[in-house]
Amino acid sequence: MMQIASEQLIALLIFVLTYVLLATEYREATIATMTGVAALWAFGVLTPKEMISYVDLSAIGLLFGMMIIVGALREARFFRWVGVYVANVCRCRPMHLLVALTLMTAGLSALLDNVTTVLFMVTVTIDIAEMVKLDPRPYILSEIVASNIGGIATLIGDPPNIMIATATGLSFLDFLVNMGPISLIALTVSLLYFWKKSMRNMKKAEARQLGLEAVTIAGLEAKLDLRLLLTGLVTLVVAVVLFSLQDVIGIYPTVVALAAAVVLLFVGGPKMPEILNDVEWSTLIFFASLFVIVGGLEKTGWMNLVAQTMSPLVSGNRALGLTAVLWVFSFVSAILNNIPLAAAFIPVLRGLESVSGLNVSPFWWALAAGTGLGGNGTIIGTSSNVIAIGLARARGVRITFFEFAKIGMVILILTTLVANLIFLLKLWL
């Protein structure tokens, strides 16, 4: 009994300390989680065999496959070309540009990972802003928000969604039907907020362009690798179609993503070995390590304890319980990175189903919505937030923690309210 209590305490301390390292960025995320894994092994909480059993290979495989596809499109300079093309279609009019870049970011985030999307959108946005002398900060903030909101719409759009899907068997179509409307309405609300907040300054910027027949960018055209672009786009489209037909053909998304990646590597041409080398291996190691750390909590009984504590809440008034869970997930995601939060609560919800005997499917959607929308609250809410702000700072565009939170928390409240109303409406219907 003493040994079990000791292991429980050690597992909890390792989890908390790892979280602190992730939140403070005292050490790089992958190094922090690997250190936690090493500590679990050193203190005898988990054996190597148990560690491997807790790693969700389906989630890792799906991420890897999508990284290959995204890497091919990146190497073909697809994202940069699209960004410049959209800017030129808008003639770089400030308000038109805000809408176009925001919608483009949301669309890309629904089909690709958030980090890749913001990396290229922020780079292109700053290039455009420098060329036509616009303040890039409203655009960057709107793109960050759009990437998180767009990401919740599909199974492959946001890492927590991938983790939830592989844990529950929910399909691409399930996510699109349940999260798509929330994403669309939340995006509309956030875009209207940015429009109203930025209207005065953007009208002044647009007034400076009066008299110009058209403002276009001539120096940023991207030379496309047409072979790689065509191969990458065909692979992506086929993969997304197969994702959406999962319920019909019975092929899991992980299998589709890995098969697509293998085909692309085989036929993509001479650049594919370089793309394979550029896969974000540290991100995959981070996810695997995170699964192991949460596995330590699961093995020592913490997840079952949390599930038992939550059981009275969800087994009483369903509407009240769903509302409470959604807002807790959302606000906690603003403070703690949403990926470890999702990893921690997936086994809790599993345990909740077995403890209470209730259908907890609405709470899976609450977890997906809360971790996605809540990530907009602060800079540290999602990995894509941190990367986007860091990239902007490296280019001389400084967005402070307070400046981000002042807008992000308003967006968090507005969009979580949207999700809450939709969930309650579905319950009542």
Side-chain angles (χ1 to χ4, degrees), residues 30-45:
T30 304
I31 295 172
T33 51
M34 288 178 68
T35 303
V37 170
L40 286 171
W41 175 75
F43 284 101
V45 177

Side-chain angles (χ1 to χ4, degrees), residues 372-386:
L373 301 175
N376 281 323
T378 67
I379 285 176
I380 61 173
T382 69
S383 301
S384 57
N385 294 7
V386 176

Side-chain angles (χ1 to χ4, degrees), residues 74-301:
R74 179 182 64 233
E75 188 66 28
R77 298 180 69 96
F78 169 71
F79 303 109
R80 189 176 182 82
W81 179 83
V82 171
V84 173
Y85 177 80
V86 167
N88 283 334
V89 167
C90 295
R91 297 186 175 185
C92 295
R93 299 300 191 196
M95 295 301 292
H96 298 171
L97 203 55
L98 177 71
V99 174
L101 293 178
T102 300
L103 293 177
M104 178 182 164
T105 302
L108 287 174
S109 286
L111 299 176
L112 310 170
D113 68 282
N114 294 355
V115 172
T116 298
T117 301
V118 296
L119 271 173
F120 287 93
M121 290 306 301
V122 169
T123 301
V124 171
T125 298
I126 294 174
D127 286 343
I128 293 168
E130 288 176 350
M131 290 288 291
V132 296
K133 295 180 172 53
L134 293 173
D135 180 4
R137 289 177 298 173
Y139 299 95
I140 293 171
L141 288 169
S142 185
E143 286 164 4
I144 291 172
V145 166
S147 74
N148 291 323
I149 293 175
I152 70 170
T154 66
L155 185 156
I156 57 175
D158 203 20
N161 286 11
I162 293 173
M163 295 158 70
I164 292 168
T166 56
T168 61
L170 291 168
S171 69
F172 187 92
L173 199 57
D174 290 330
F175 273 90
L176 196 60
V177 169
N178 286 278
M179 301 304 297
I182 294 173
S183 176
L184 189 60
I185 298 173
L187 180 64
T188 304
V189 169
S190 66
L191 190 53
L192 288 172
Y193 172 80
F194 276 103
W195 181 288
K196 184 176 180 181
K197 187 173 181 61
S198 307
M199 185 180 294
R200 181 181 297 177
N201 290 335
M202 289 193 178
K203 279 188 175 179
K204 289 179 182 177
E206 193 158 335
R208 293 196 296 268
Q209 295 179 354
L210 289 177
L212 296 177
E213 198 169 301
V215 179
T216 56
I217 301 170
L220 290 178
E221 289 90 347
K223 186 178 179 181
L224 295 169
D225 183 330
L226 293 178
R227 175 187 173 179
L228 190 56
L229 173 64
L230 181 62
T231 309
L233 284 177
V234 169
T235 304
L236 176 63
V237 170
V238 171
V240 171
V241 170
L242 291 176
F243 287 151
S244 64
L245 295 175
Q246 178 190 340
D247 291 334
V248 177
I249 61 178
I251 302 178
Y252 290 108
T254 302
V255 177
V256 172
L258 287 175
V262 170
V263 171
L264 185 56
L265 286 169
F266 189 76
V267 303
K271 291 184 178 178
M272 297 315 293
E274 184 181 338
I275 291 169
L276 185 59
N277 288 334
D278 289 339
V279 166
E280 298 164 41
W281 296 106
S282 63
T283 300
L284 297 178
I285 295 171
F286 165 73
F287 271 98
S289 301
L290 192 58
F291 285 131
V292 173
I293 291 170
V294 173
L297 293 180
E298 194 170 352
K299 182 195 173 184
T300 54

Side-chain angles (χ1 to χ4, degrees), residues 141 145-146 148-149 152 182 186-187 189-190 193-194 323 325-336 338 341 369-382 385 404-421:
L141 288 169
V145 166
N148 291 323
I149 293 175
I152 70 170
I182 294 173
L187 180 64
V189 169
S190 66
Y193 172 80
F194 276 103
T323 297
V325 168
L326 172 65
W327 285 94
V328 167
F329 285 151
S330 190
F331 276 107
V332 174
S333 284
I335 303 167
L336 304 173
N338 65 353
L341 179 68
T371 53
L373 301 175
N376 281 323
T378 67
I379 285 176
I380 61 173
T382 69
N385 294 7
F404 187 102
K406 190 165 63 172
I407 293 173
M409 292 304 293
V410 174
I411 296 292
L412 180 153
I413 292 169
L414 291 175
T415 55
T416 304
L417 184 60
V418 166
N420 200 170
L421 292 174

Side-chain angles (χ1 to χ4, degrees), residues 49-64:
K49 187 175 181 180
E50 287 172 330
M51 289 180 181
I52 293 171
S53 70
Y54 281 115
V55 176
D56 190 339
L57 293 177
S58 293
I60 300 294
L62 182 54
L63 279 169
F64 172 76

